[in-house]
Amino acid sequence: MTTVETGVEATTRHVPEGLPTHLQHFIDGELRDSVDGAVFGVLDPVSNQDYATAAAGQAADVDAAVQAAQRSFDSGVWAEKPARARARVLNRIADLVEASDSRLAELETFDTGLPITQALGQAQRAAENFRFFADLIVAQTDDAYKVPGRQINYVNRKPVGVAGLITPWNTPFMLESWKLAPSLASGCSVVLKPAEFTPLSASLWAQIFTEAGLPQGVFNLVNGIGEEAGDALVKHPQTRLISFTGETTTGQLIFRNSATHLKGMSMELGGKSPAVVFADADLEAALDSTLFGVFSLNGERCTAGSRILVQRSIYDEFVERYAARAKNIVVGNPHDPKTEVGALVHPEHYERVLGYVEIGKTEGRLVAGGGRPEGLPVGNYLAPTVFADVPSTARIFQEEIFGPVVAITPFEDEADAIRLANDVKYGLAGYVWTSDLTRGHRVAHAIEAGMVWLNSHNVRDLRSPFGGVKASGLGHEGGYRSLDFYSEQQAVHITLGDVHTARFGAAAAGEIDG
């Protein structure tokens, strides 16, 4: 434990033992600094003080990583392994990840500000991603088609090549596993560019993959700023695929920069997801779920139900009870097991969220939060903030805030609820609360979102498609959809009998077509 002094007040923070002071790239099986020696500072969000430096990747470092990945791919050392052999390595990775849960949670909490109780279990979720895709590639079947008496056609599935993986700073280790597991399962070689705010837990992958027996050069990691390392990875002519999770504006830029080489793209982008609560809903369950849905993970989650639409007849009661619960949420040191909301990830992001809070004070009625909690003078802490009576034209209704801030808006009837739910540019997730299941299905189908949960918060099924529509994404991953993205499906056609082919040029050569 260390104490951070701030004038007349002080706060205590937990510093993990064995914390590295410098984070390197991992390229072609070895740890490296940047070619030009560039570094950037990495801070923890409780003290906002740098605890380490990280190698700042540039185009030369990205090129070295891509070349290493390409060599490993061309050698066939991983791409040509039988599915069962790749699955054994993936399961060893899962075992190693699962065994590191406590250490991972400690590092993740320190680096991100995520409450320790929410960071625990991230390793299990990451491990499950590897186990799931290990099972899937062994059980996978492909199509064959028979043209009776003439032909049989089958699908030959092959890994695409080098995949560029760009990941976000919220629950970074687990979200990295969402991309690493299916790309490696498919036989691709990869270059991972983790978020610059949170590179700490990503540094664990190198040792895990090496110990599990993943061949040299198949996994590569380049730290760096998005505009430098990320941009170079997107533009590199030998990255065949880009999988990106992040905000929409960055996704649009990546889309444009990928066009030159016609790269395959999968992008999960921003969200401003509605939670629709009808008058006949189980109010207690809806309160529990909508509070958890926006304030867990510090509100820094893409599928957060940050717009709550409540039917007019229960609106006043809902707002009163919601605000009372929000005021009781425990905000504090991320390493304290009692903490429910920790510190936002970085001072830049903290200032951005505070800016939206000030905007919200001019657009809605502040019923909870709105500023720094008492007793926490240092760190990126924000009390859970609730605005009621928010019109659909408000910026806090329309724009992604990505923090512990929620807008509550009344609606009159089903048509009004659907109109409000769809009145934003985003379409990632939606939540519907009603005891009328016929209406629940009807409204779920009408919501413009890639995923909808009925009478539930975000419960993930790895078999189902994950992704958004409109400004929330491009393409879907999950289950076989992930394997489809990281694979090429080649059609092979085999003749079973004589094929009559018109003999162009035969007459001119003096031959007679029998």
Side-chain angles (χ1 to χ4, degrees):
M1 303 287 285
T2 64
T3 299
V4 181
E5 298 292 343
T6 59
V8 297
E9 299 184 78
T11 184
T12 301
R13 65 171 181 150
H14 173 90
V15 178
E17 292 184 7
L19 192 68
T21 58
H22 182 59
L23 303 171
Q24 296 176 288
H25 311 307
F26 184 72
I27 298 173
D28 205 13
E30 64 179 23
L31 294 170
R32 301 184 189 178
D33 282 320
S34 294
V35 171
D36 64 359
V39 298
F40 62 94
V42 185
L43 56 77
D44 78 271
V46 169
S47 71
N48 282 333
Q49 297 175 358
D50 285 352
Y51 68 86
T53 56
Q58 309 292 324
D61 307 295
V62 169
D63 181 62
V66 173
Q67 296 299 338
Q70 188 67 60
R71 285 194 298 273
S72 74
F73 184 78
D74 292 342
S75 74
V77 66
W78 181 250
E80 295 177 11
K81 269 187 181 295
R84 177 69 71 183
R86 292 203 302 271
R88 289 193 187 100
V89 175
L90 294 178
N91 277 313
R92 286 199 294 270
I93 292 169
D95 292 340
L96 292 166
V97 168
E98 204 165 46
S100 68
D101 188 33
S102 296
R103 176 62 171 172
L104 171 64
E106 184 182 36
L107 295 180
E108 201 86 308
T109 292
F110 179 78
D111 204 25
T112 68
L114 184 70
I116 188 69
T117 54
Q118 296 168 42
L120 286 166
Q122 295 297 319
Q124 272 76 14
R125 292 187 65 189
E128 178 56 26
N129 286 326
F130 283 94
R131 295 198 200 286
F132 175 82
F133 284 104
D135 291 343
L136 202 62
I137 57 171
V138 171
Q140 184 176 20
T141 60
D142 281 308
D143 295 322
Y145 309 94
K146 183 178 180 182
V147 182
R150 297 174 59 190
Q151 221 176 38
I152 186 168
N153 313 317
Y154 68 90
V155 174
N156 176 37
R157 187 181 290 266
K158 302 185 291 184
V160 171
V162 177
L165 313 177
I166 303 176
T167 52
W169 43 256
N170 57 321
T171 60
F173 189 87
M174 193 273 293
L175 291 181
E176 288 154 9
S177 75
W178 278 14
K179 300 181 188 299
L180 287 166
S183 58
L184 294 174
S186 298
C188 292
S189 292
V190 304
V191 178
L192 171 67
K193 208 297 282 183
E196 57 263 32
F197 286 174
T198 55
L200 182 57
S201 61
S203 67
L204 300 175
W205 288 116
Q207 181 178 348
I208 289 170
F209 288 144
T210 301
E211 190 172 341
L214 189 70
Q216 178 178 320
V218 175
F219 167 76
N220 303 272
L221 181 151
V222 178
N223 291 302
I225 309 302
E227 293 83 354
E228 297 170 353
D231 186 62
L233 186 60
V234 168
K235 291 178 178 176
H236 199 288
Q238 288 174 275
T239 51
R240 296 283 308 281
L241 300 171
I242 297 293
S243 178
F244 170 73
T245 299
E247 59 93 25
T248 299
T249 303
T250 304
Q252 291 169 329
L253 178 62
I254 289 173
F255 198 162
R256 288 193 293 270
N257 289 338
S258 294
T260 302
H261 299 289
L262 297 175
K263 298 176 190 288
M265 298 197 65
S266 176
M267 297 196 293
E268 185 223 313
L269 306 178
K272 193 70 178 177
S273 301
V276 181
V277 183
F278 285 95
D280 64 348
D282 179 335
L283 192 56
E284 201 67 35
L287 282 164
D288 287 344
S289 182
T290 51
L291 282 155
F292 178 83
V294 75
F295 296 127
S296 60
L297 306 183
N298 298 345
E300 297 166 328
R301 57 188 308 162
C302 53
T303 55
S306 55
R307 292 182 299 135
I308 304 177
L309 312 177
V310 184
Q311 195 155 23
R312 179 76 69 178
S313 60
I314 62 167
Y315 180 77
D316 290 340
E317 179 188 0
F318 185 93
V319 169
E320 181 181 0
R321 295 181 63 184
Y322 194 95
R325 290 274 298 274
K327 291 174 183 176
N328 285 333
I329 290 173
V330 178
V331 183
N333 188 319
H335 287 274
D336 186 337
K338 297 189 297 293
T339 294
E340 294 171 310
V341 171
L344 299 190
V345 68
H346 193 277
E348 288 180 18
H349 181 62
Y350 180 61
E351 291 300 322
R352 178 180 181 276
V353 175
L354 286 180
Y356 274 109
V357 171
E358 293 307 307
I359 291 168
K361 291 175 181 177
T362 69
E363 295 181 325
R365 176 166 57 97
L366 180 65
V367 295
R372 179 182 290 277
E374 292 184 7
L376 295 168
V378 180
N380 306 321
Y381 293 106
L382 175 63
T385 299
V386 182
F387 290 102
D389 309 340
V390 179
S392 62
T393 54
R395 287 184 63 185
I396 62 168
F397 186 98
Q398 292 288 333
E399 299 176 19
E400 184 177 40
I401 299 173
F402 219 67
V405 182
V406 67
I408 308 180
T409 301
F411 69 84
E412 302 298 335
D413 54 22
E414 182 179 317
D416 193 32
I418 293 169
R419 178 188 65 80
L420 288 167
N422 294 336
D423 190 24
V424 295
K425 69 178 182 180
Y426 298 104
L428 186 57
Y431 307 87
V432 180
W433 287 87
T434 178
S435 60
D436 182 343
L437 289 183
T438 300
R439 175 169 61 189
H441 285 287
R442 188 168 60 238
V443 173
H445 295 172
I447 290 177
E448 295 168 351
M451 302 166 286
V452 179
W453 281 267
L454 181 56
N455 294 331
S456 171
H457 59 272
N458 178 347
V459 179
R460 181 83 172 92
D461 183 336
L462 293 176
R463 298 168 298 179
S464 62
F466 188 96
V469 299
K470 302 197 297 189
S472 287
L474 178 70
H476 286 79
E477 296 189 36
Y480 283 114
R481 294 163 187 83
S482 293
L483 299 186
D484 287 343
F485 176 66
Y486 293 105
S487 304
E488 290 176 337
Q489 297 177 62
Q490 179 187 55
V492 179
H493 305 268
I494 304 164
T495 297
L496 296 179
D498 293 335
V499 178
H500 179 77
T501 305
R503 302 185 67 210
F504 280 28
E511 299 180 23
I512 298 175
D513 190 342

